[in-house]
């Protein structure tokens, strides 16, 4: 009887240790299950958000509406540029040839064709847009000096820090 009792106690301790191990495994499995459940919930939420975002994209009528707005903006831009050009031509005309003849000696070099303030601004804008890493333009003889002075004085253009014969448009868009 004593022998059977010792044998049964050993079986009992083995069964208890197996039960503890199984309980620990069960806890780990439950924790893993909870983590998987949370992941699944997060994926479902993100999928729902994506589905709602897809539903919010404009339809064909929305695209047509955007296209008409874009066309209106382009037309408005064209109107503004035309009005700006007219303003510049009216208020900032090129000097008359008679003034150049009075100021220069007759033995001076032949007149260089001066460009308008609008053309100078277009050159500066195009240079800034096409090559923003090197926006400087070399000041040529066709740039009328009073226009250059006007642009520099009012902060519309800036001189190159090392080369005074170069200037760039002030980057107002930044």
């Amino acid at each position: 009887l004593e022998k059977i009792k010792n044998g049964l106690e050993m079986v009992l301790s083995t069964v208890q240790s197996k039960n503890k191990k199984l309980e620990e495994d069960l806890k780990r499995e439950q924790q893993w299950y909870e983590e998987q459940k949370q992941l699944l919930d997060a994926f479902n939420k993100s999928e729902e958000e994506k589905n709602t975002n897809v539903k919010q994209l404009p339809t064909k009528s929305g695209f047509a509406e955007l296209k008409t707005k874009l066309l209106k903006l382009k037309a408005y831009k064209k109107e503004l540029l035309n009005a700006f050009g007219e303003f510049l031509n009216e208020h900032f005309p090129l000097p008359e040839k008679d003034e150049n003849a009075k100021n220069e000696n007759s033995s001076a070099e032949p007149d260089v064709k001066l460009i308008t303030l609008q053309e100078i601004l277009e050159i500066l804008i195009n240079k800034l847009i096409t090559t923003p890493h090197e926006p400087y333009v070399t000041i040529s003889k066709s740039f009328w000096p009073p226009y250059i002075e006007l642009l520099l004085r009012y902060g519309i253009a800036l001189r190159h820090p090392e080369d005074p014969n170069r200037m760039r448009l002030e980057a107002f868009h930044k």
Side-chain angles (χ1 to χ4, degrees), residues 25-96:
D25 288 346
L26 178 65
K27 285 181 183 178
R28 257 188 277 122
E29 291 291 326
Q30 286 175 340
Q31 185 179 4
W32 178 82
Y33 174 73
E34 289 298 322
E35 290 173 359
Q36 296 301 317
K37 206 171 163 183
Q38 290 174 355
L39 279 173
L40 184 63
D41 289 342
F43 284 134
N44 287 338
K45 285 181 184 178
S46 66
E47 184 180 4
E48 287 175 16
E49 288 175 6
K50 287 180 182 177
N51 287 339
T52 55
N53 287 343
V54 168
K55 289 177 185 176
Q56 292 175 354
L57 287 176
T59 60
K60 287 184 180 181
S61 64
F63 284 124
E65 186 178 312
L66 288 174
K67 194 172 183 178
T68 56
K69 284 183 180 180
L70 183 63
L71 291 173
K72 286 179 183 177
L73 282 174
K74 285 183 179 180
Y76 183 64
K77 176 187 169 191
K78 192 173 183 178
E79 285 179 37
L80 283 177
L81 289 175
N82 287 337
F84 185 57
E86 289 174 10
F87 174 82
L88 289 175
N89 288 334
E90 181 182 337
H91 296 286
F92 298 99
L94 283 174
E96 295 179 11

Side-chain angles (χ1 to χ4, degrees), residues 157-174:
L158 301 171
R159 282 201 192 271
H160 191 278
E162 297 169 1
D163 185 4
N165 293 326
R166 296 172 67 198
M167 68 182 209
R168 72 172 173 93
L169 190 68
E170 173 66 49
F172 293 108
H173 63 282
K174 290 184 179 181

